[in-house]
Amino acid sequence: MANSVNDSIEEKAIDPKTIPDDLFAPVKKDGAPLEELTRPSVSYWKDAWHRILKNKLAVAGLVIIVVMLVMALIGPSLTPYDDREGILSNQNQAPSADHWFGTDELGRDVFTRVWHGARVSLLIGFAAAFIEFIIGVSYGGLSGYKGGRTDNVMMRIVEVLYGLPYLLVVILLMVVMDPGVWTIIVALSLTGWVGMARLVRGQVLQLKTNEYVLASKVLGGSTPRIVRQHLLPNTMGPIIVSMTLTVPGAIFAEAFLSFLGLGVQQPTASWGSMANDALGVVNTGYWWRLVFPATMISLTMFAFNVFGDGLRDALDPKMRR
Amino acid sequence: MAVYVVKRFLAMIITLLVIVTLTFFLMHAAPGNPFDFDESGGISEQAMQNLMAHYNLDQPTYMQYFQYLKNIATFDFGPSMVSRSRTVDSMLTNGFPASMILGLSTLIFSLISGIILGVIAALRHNKAIDYVTMIVAVLGISVPNFILAMLFIKFIGTQFDFFPIARWGTWRHVLLPALALSSGPMAIIARLTRSNMLEVLNQDYIRTARAKGLSPIKIVIKHALRNALLPVITILGTLTAAVLTGSFVIERIFAIPGIGRYFVESISNRDYPMIMATTVMYSAILVVMMFVVDLVYGVVDPRIKLHKKEE
Amino acid sequence: MSESKQTILDVNNLHVSFQTRNGEVQAVRGVNFSLKEGETLAIVGESGCGKSVTAQSIMRLIPTPPGVIKEGSIKLKGKDLTKYTEKQMREIRGTDIGMIFQDPMTSLNPVLTIGDQISEGLFKNSKVSKADAKKRTIELLSLVGIANPEERLRQYPHQFSGGMRQRIMIAMALVSEPGVLIADEPTTALDVTIQAQIIDLFKDIQKRIGIAIILITHDLGLVAQIADRINVMYAGKIIESGTVREIFYEPQHPYTKGLLKSVPRLDGDRNEPLIPIDGTPPDLFAPPKGCGFARRCDYAMDVCLQYDPEPTSVSEHHSVRCWLQDERANKAVKAIDNRSPKINFQSK
């Protein structure tokens, strides 16, 4: 049935008679395995890091975040201007060599204000994410660890709270409190911890079952380290992603509050309040008053979203090769 | 199914109750009383007492609370404390149509465009159009809708007369505001649809459909889409919330005579009855919407509709 | 029993590969077989031997990047399917060839009624009235043994058990009266008791409809009960092929023998150990030179590592790819048997 007219594929059909007789001798078996397929196992974090680096968009996001942080730190010192007081006669000047981003209607330098605003917005973003993390981890961790009735009750509460419209409650809180950077952070954290709590609780529950399974196999407490090295990174992953994605939400919320007059108050600069100020002159030609704060907000949110997405994909154990 | 409906209904009532209570106590926790803001200048001690009695503000808080609950149940939100000539009720009814139109057009537009974009991106996975759509989607959730609104006004509205940028009245007035408000929801729906679609297309039952020789269109629409869209229904509730809160600012920016604008004004004026009323109303709409969503989901997913497991 | 039946499917020198980022995986490396009307052909082998890929390639269900039919022909009643356009294939699928898959729990669409899923194949090609379609659906549901078909066709998959779902799958595949049914691991995902029911159903269908069946499985018990002929695959090639009796009672290839030895037999000695085959199948990124099984074979000779044997006939229906068939191998066999007397090579 030798059927190969074509020898395009690996082997050609051979006429058996052409094969020398001495090849019909048993292969010497030396016991060594003839094929080995191993792959060096890479640590979870290194693997994730490599995968993120391949995601160009996520890397771009990270770069933008770093640039924003750096500029927030050094930006204001690059110019001689103050962020709160300006020279009225200089008002509403277009961007120039003197004022790279132009001036606003009180004659203040927009560039300086933008980077002061960066400090405020980024501070609010990170602080809110961090405090939400603390509250969420404590609540969710406790609930998951205790289990049973405590867990049930605590989760019922969370369910109800989860159904509340987040921004609405934040608005109400701000109406009651005195708007300012720290009150905003408090309001955001008080409403936002719920999501993190649910997440943490889910992770803790996972951890619990895994630990028991492992422990029963590894009788005699020899390797809690394996638990920590493998399970903990796996559970931390979604938590870190969640924190990363909280930041843009907080920045958005601050800007939103500014638009309602409940945000950071004058003369402190925040991106939201600067954009709000630009609303009055939106029909005029003073484009720089809107464009610069708007771009900063959008760029930062974009960067965090994209980096958070990339992080999520990279830490997803299903995609691990 | 009946059990499911009752459970969701109870959840709705509880959430509503919590919001209403929260709103009430928060407003009463605010420093001062509303009449400190009276613009007409000082009022006499007597007049102040009369006003307080009229508004029940002289009674202990918990009694005010029950009165409040009673009022809400009968849709009586009382007169606005700031605006002399109008009651809160009338302000709400005046503003409702505009907000309704804006909200509905936004939701419908976001749903349709988001789903179409998501499906296209999934069908052309890893090709150019997939990447482009997804980047546009990330931009959609990254550029706040009010920022987008202002950019629209500045760069589109002032250039083209076709798009009105203030007030209300014709269908063209709806365009820019609805577009700005849809950017977020559309992006979220597109991303969700795409990832669901990709997952569904990998399922075994799609392979079965292909083995039967069904056409690709039929497979996508009849077999894949229904499964992929089920999760989209569940987020409709949160999306409505986003559209609702977004509408405050959008209405303000475009000077649309809706409830959102009144809400924003009442915040600046610290008009507490107005704030409470709008909050309660918004929350009611939201909670009812989430309940409806749960119902729809229960009907559309046969696994919930028919919960029998025997043969 | 051997009337002159027509050949309905003829597969010739089939090569199927997958182009991946890391290189080309040669899943099927030269497969030849034919299927006659009404007969049941089993293709057996380990996971990864290429049997599923072969089956799905017949239906051209392998997604074309990354899969590609590099060479060969698949002739259904004389027409070469490898040359068909996708549109032409869609007409064939379901109508001329039906296929059922391994996992009935996930192979049915959860949001459509089973009546709908069964009858939609009918509407595909011709104008069938809804009433006729319903009649046909009920007919099929009865055939596969589902009680109360009129009621049940309005129900959803989650309302049926695993065994019933597999029956529904079979009904779905048979709805347009195809000439060939391809069953890819139909019993693997089912409980043992349910497996028996499905086996009976297959036997019933064979009797009543006389459809040709290609049965892909690694379950030799199933094969023994319903197959007429067997193809044994390893590393992308058919290494032995014959009737059921020939393969079970006179296996020639060491791999086939190994397979049979690793399966428990009711008539076997209780204390006799099950002997698994050491080692793992070769990596198909770089198929080994020579015979794919050589590295695991107790009877490997030098020639086996150099050249891949072509099929040799043992009888009319029985052929095997193995250098041990060559006369020159006898000396080596004796030497190996002396080395390890436990395994006795039954001479031909």
Side-chain angles (χ1 to χ4, degrees):
Chain A
M1 256 171 71
N3 184 16
S4 12
V5 177
N6 35 13
D7 28 57
S8 52
I9 320 296
E10 338 78 28
E11 326 152 0
K12 316 171 186 161
I14 313 193
D15 183 3
K17 300 196 198 72
T18 65
I19 300 178
D21 289 1
D22 60 350
L23 280 182
F24 285 81
V27 164
K28 294 182 197 47
K29 303 253 177 155
D30 53 6
L34 284 158
E35 281 167 51
E36 268 298 341
L37 252 183
T38 47
R39 230 174 264 137
S41 72
V42 191
S43 98
Y44 182 67
W45 296 116
K46 279 206 205 113
D47 184 44
W49 185 240
H50 282 152
R51 262 196 285 147
I52 272 218
L53 285 182
K54 278 198 214 149
N55 184 344
K56 288 177 239 157
L57 210 51
V59 171
L62 186 59
V63 166
I64 295 178
I65 294 175
V66 170
V67 166
M68 286 291 170
L69 284 171
V70 165
M71 287 305 289
L73 280 174
I74 66 166
S77 30
L78 292 178
T79 63
Y81 303 108
D82 185 58
D83 66 311
R84 288 161 195 246
E85 290 170 11
I87 305 174
L88 258 180
S89 53
N90 278 344
Q91 68 174 197
N92 290 325
Q93 286 181 0
S96 61
D98 279 337
H99 294 278
W100 298 330
F101 283 1
T103 60
D104 68 4
E105 80 188 1
L106 292 186
R108 297 178 287 201
D109 179 46
V110 175
F111 185 86
T112 317
R113 297 204 86 215
V114 159
W115 298 117
H116 273 282
R119 291 183 186 176
V120 169
S121 298
L122 288 173
L123 172 66
I124 292 180
F126 282 110
F130 184 69
I131 298 180
E132 274 180 32
F133 170 72
I134 302 282
I135 303 179
V137 165
S138 320
Y139 191 95
L142 189 65
S143 181
Y145 184 73
K146 285 254 151 147
R149 279 204 113 195
T150 329
D151 181 35
N152 256 332
V153 170
M154 287 176 91
M155 279 305 116
R156 278 293 143 80
I157 299 179
V158 158
E159 257 176 59
V160 173
L161 289 180
Y162 199 71
L164 299 183
Y166 163 72
L167 274 179
L168 214 50
V169 179
V170 171
I171 291 174
L172 290 180
L173 283 172
M174 292 313 297
V175 168
V176 170
M177 300 192 280
D178 237 343
V181 173
W182 288 104
T183 43
I184 295 179
I185 294 178
V186 167
L188 291 179
S189 319
L190 277 184
T191 44
W193 63 267
V194 178
M196 177 65 81
R198 268 177 36 159
L199 183 59
V200 170
R201 172 193 174 261
Q203 300 296 83
V204 169
L205 286 181
Q206 254 187 30
L207 251 185
K208 271 195 346 187
T209 51
N210 270 328
E211 215 167 5
Y212 289 151
V213 167
L214 260 184
S216 65
K217 285 187 188 161
V218 178
L219 287 167
S222 44
T223 44
R225 220 169 278 159
I226 294 185
V227 172
R228 250 172 264 144
Q229 261 184 0
H230 280 272
L231 293 182
L232 226 43
N234 261 313
T235 52
M236 283 306 290
I239 296 180
I240 295 181
V241 171
S242 177
M243 279 179 71
T244 312
L245 292 175
T246 307
V247 175
I251 296 182
F252 173 88
E254 185 276 318
F256 185 79
L257 289 172
S258 297
F259 259 75
L260 298 179
L262 295 170
V264 168
Q265 301 294 303
Q266 292 296 352
T268 314
S270 84
W271 289 337
S273 61
M274 291 175 75
N276 190 25
D277 288 342
L279 180 58
V281 296
V282 73
N283 282 325
T284 64
Y286 306 146
W287 58 270
W288 57 94
R289 302 248 328 254
L290 171 62
V291 167
F292 289 115
T295 312
M296 292 305 154
I297 297 180
S298 311
L299 215 53
T300 312
M301 286 180 67
F302 178 79
F304 273 99
N305 277 327
V306 153
F307 181 64
D309 277 351
L311 207 55
R312 185 203 294 131
D313 287 342
L315 291 175
D316 184 355
K318 275 181 271 173
M319 312 212 339
R320 246 201 124 171
R321 250 179 298 124
Chain B
M1 177 70 172
V3 176
Y4 177 74
V5 171
V6 168
K7 274 210 281 194
R8 303 314 312 159
F9 187 74
L10 281 181
M12 174 180 94
I13 298 288
I14 293 180
T15 310
L16 204 47
L17 211 57
V18 169
I19 295 180
V20 162
T21 311
L22 197 64
T23 314
F24 179 82
F25 283 105
L26 272 181
M27 291 301 103
H28 278 79
N33 77 58
F35 299 110
D36 293 344
F37 290 95
D38 196 314
E39 286 133 33
S40 58
I43 28 181
S44 66
E45 200 48 48
Q46 185 62 39
M48 178 72 92
Q49 274 184 13
N50 287 340
L51 276 169
M52 302 271 279
H54 183 81
Y55 286 112
N56 290 328
L57 289 173
D58 53 345
Q59 293 187 338
T61 312
Y62 67 90
M63 290 226 58
Q64 291 186 45
Y65 177 58
F66 287 117
Q67 184 68 33
Y68 172 64
L69 284 180
K70 213 178 73 178
N71 286 344
I72 290 186
T74 55
F75 291 111
D76 173 15
F77 293 112
S80 160
M81 285 188 196
V82 170
S83 173
R84 288 299 130 87
S85 52
R86 299 183 280 186
T87 63
V88 170
D89 282 8
S90 71
M91 285 161 87
L92 288 182
T93 26
N94 281 339
F96 193 70
S99 299
M100 185 66 150
I101 295 179
L102 180 62
L104 276 182
S105 4
T106 303
L107 277 177
I108 295 177
F109 178 70
S110 315
L111 262 178
I112 297 182
S113 54
I115 291 176
I116 293 181
L117 279 176
V119 169
I120 294 181
L123 290 179
R124 299 270 172 270
H125 184 42
N126 280 334
K127 301 215 179 84
I129 198 171
D130 184 17
Y131 289 127
V132 165
T133 320
M134 282 307 107
I135 292 191
V136 168
V138 179
L139 282 175
I141 55 180
S142 305
V143 179
N145 48 28
F146 44 91
I147 300 280
L148 198 59
M150 297 210 293
L151 290 172
F152 277 172
I153 293 180
K154 193 162 206 66
F155 293 111
I156 302 184
T158 44
Q159 313 281 36
F160 305 101
D161 277 334
F162 182 74
F163 299 101
I165 54 173
R167 311 249 196 298
W168 202 238
T170 68
W171 66 271
R172 286 186 292 132
H173 282 92
V174 185
L175 288 177
L176 285 183
L179 202 56
L181 201 49
S182 324
S183 62
M186 174 173 76
I188 294 178
I189 293 177
R191 272 162 51 123
L192 192 57
T193 306
R194 171 186 176 272
S195 68
N196 287 341
M197 205 51 180
L198 283 176
E199 217 184 286
V200 163
L201 287 174
N202 270 328
Q203 294 296 316
D204 286 344
Y205 53 82
I206 298 293
R207 181 180 56 176
T208 307
R210 291 186 64 217
K212 292 197 282 191
L214 300 177
S215 74
I217 301 179
K218 200 177 194 88
I219 294 182
V220 167
I221 298 186
K222 181 177 176 191
H223 285 260
L225 208 54
R226 247 182 264 197
N227 281 285
L229 289 185
L230 280 181
V232 173
I233 297 182
T234 52
I235 60 158
L236 270 184
T238 359
L239 283 183
T240 313
V243 169
L244 229 48
T245 48
S247 69
F248 307 157
V249 194
I250 297 291
E251 284 180 16
R252 177 168 167 246
I253 293 179
F254 284 98
I256 297 175
I259 303 180
R261 207 182 47 162
Y262 289 133
F263 185 60
V264 173
E265 280 174 17
S266 68
I267 289 178
S268 326
N269 298 335
R270 299 297 191 269
D271 182 354
Y272 291 106
M274 191 60 185
I275 297 180
M276 285 204 287
T278 25
T279 309
V280 168
M281 208 199 63
Y282 273 130
S283 313
I285 295 179
L286 208 61
V287 164
V288 166
M289 184 65 175
M290 291 173 98
F291 176 64
V292 167
V293 161
D294 283 338
L295 275 186
V296 169
Y297 189 83
V299 164
V300 166
D301 186 347
R303 287 164 287 196
I304 298 187
K305 185 161 71 161
L306 310 152
H307 207 56
K308 315 177 224 154
K309 273 205 202 138
E310 90 289 8
E311 20 185 81
Chain C
M1 263 277 248
S2 41
E3 318 144 11
S4 56
K5 292 206 207 117
Q6 298 287 348
T7 299
I8 191 172
L9 187 69
D10 193 9
V11 176
N12 215 325
N13 195 27
L14 184 64
H15 286 82
V16 181
S17 294
F18 290 89
Q19 310 283 7
T20 71
R21 244 181 303 178
N22 300 328
E24 179 186 339
V25 180
Q26 301 176 30
V28 178
R29 307 189 293 137
V31 160
N32 299 287
F33 66 88
S34 59
L35 180 70
K36 287 202 166 42
E37 283 173 3
E39 80 169 336
T40 299
L41 170 69
I43 305 184
V44 304
E46 283 168 297
S47 308
C49 68
K51 52 193 200 296
S52 266
V53 176
T54 305
Q56 295 190 25
S57 299
I58 296 177
M59 296 272 268
R60 296 263 304 276
L61 278 180
I62 309 273
T64 290
V68 60
I69 297 182
K70 293 189 71 172
E71 224 188 295
S73 68
I74 300 171
K75 296 214 179 108
L76 179 67
K77 293 196 206 147
K79 303 246 174 67
D80 189 357
L81 297 183
T82 60
K83 306 250 183 312
Y84 270 29
T85 64
E86 177 63 17
K87 188 156 179 238
Q88 289 169 307
M89 279 312 297
R90 286 206 288 270
E91 280 168 43
I92 300 278
R93 292 187 198 126
T95 318
D96 294 300
I97 311 181
M99 188 159 180
I100 63 174
F101 299 95
Q102 176 171 332
D103 193 348
M105 303 302 270
T106 54
S107 294
L108 289 172
N109 194 327
V111 301
L112 299 173
T113 62
I114 58 145
D116 190 359
Q117 297 189 53
I118 293 178
S119 56
E120 65 179 342
L122 288 172
F123 297 117
K124 179 183 64 134
N125 286 336
S126 45
K127 298 241 180 272
V128 177
S129 75
K130 278 207 183 162
D132 283 339
K134 189 168 170 192
K135 231 175 60 176
R136 174 84 180 136
T137 306
I138 294 177
E139 199 182 300
L140 277 165
L141 284 175
S142 311
L143 173 70
V144 299
I146 300 216
N148 283 332
E150 301 86 2
E151 273 178 45
R152 306 220 75 182
L153 58 76
R154 264 177 276 136
Q155 292 186 335
Y156 293 89
H158 72 272
Q159 295 169 277
F160 294 85
S161 70
M164 304 217 107
R165 288 192 218 190
Q166 194 62 300
R167 293 172 192 262
I168 294 171
M169 291 284 295
I170 295 174
M172 230 167 41
L174 296 177
V175 75
S176 303
E177 296 177 293
V180 178
L181 172 68
I182 304 181
D184 192 350
E185 309 267 15
T187 55
T188 308
L190 302 172
D191 280 344
V192 176
T193 43
I194 310 291
Q195 282 184 18
Q197 291 176 15
I198 301 294
I199 292 176
D200 285 338
L201 177 58
F202 267 111
K203 286 195 202 159
D204 198 32
I205 291 177
Q206 282 170 321
K207 246 189 304 195
R208 284 158 71 162
I209 301 188
I211 187 176
I213 303 179
I214 298 182
L215 178 65
I216 315 281
T217 183
H218 56 260
D219 179 358
L220 292 172
L222 172 65
V223 170
Q225 296 209 49
I226 65 177
D228 298 319
R229 285 193 300 121
I230 305 179
N231 284 345
V232 181
M233 274 188 80
Y234 187 81
K237 295 193 185 204
I238 298 180
I239 48 108
E240 188 162 2
S241 147
T243 65
V244 167
R245 283 201 77 85
E246 287 166 341
I247 299 289
F248 271 87
Y249 290 114
E250 294 159 25
Q252 296 298 309
H253 199 287
Y255 176 66
T256 314
K257 298 190 192 197
L259 268 187
L260 291 166
K261 276 215 169 59
S262 63
V263 172
R265 296 173 65 138
L266 275 179
D267 60 343
D269 181 2
R270 237 194 208 171
N271 294 320
E272 213 176 292
L274 291 177
I275 306 173
I277 310 178
D278 277 336
T280 53
D283 185 359
L284 291 174
F285 270 110
K289 197 166 168 218
C291 168
F293 186 64
R295 281 141 199 80
R296 293 167 80 184
C297 184
D298 288 328
Y299 286 91
M301 301 179 285
D302 290 324
V303 63
C304 304
L305 294 174
Q306 299 267 4
Y307 300 103
D308 198 7
E310 289 295 306
T312 23
S313 282
V314 175
S315 74
E316 185 194 343
H317 296 284
H318 191 176
S319 71
V320 57
R321 281 186 190 251
C322 184
W323 286 121
L324 292 170
Q325 298 294 315
D326 192 304
E327 303 165 317
R328 294 171 277 179
N330 288 341
K331 236 176 51 178
V333 167
K334 288 210 186 80
I336 294 173
D337 276 341
N338 287 334
R339 233 172 34 194
S340 44
K342 276 181 292 186
I343 303 163
N344 245 318
F345 188 86
Q346 307 267 332
S347 58
K348 17 182 176 167

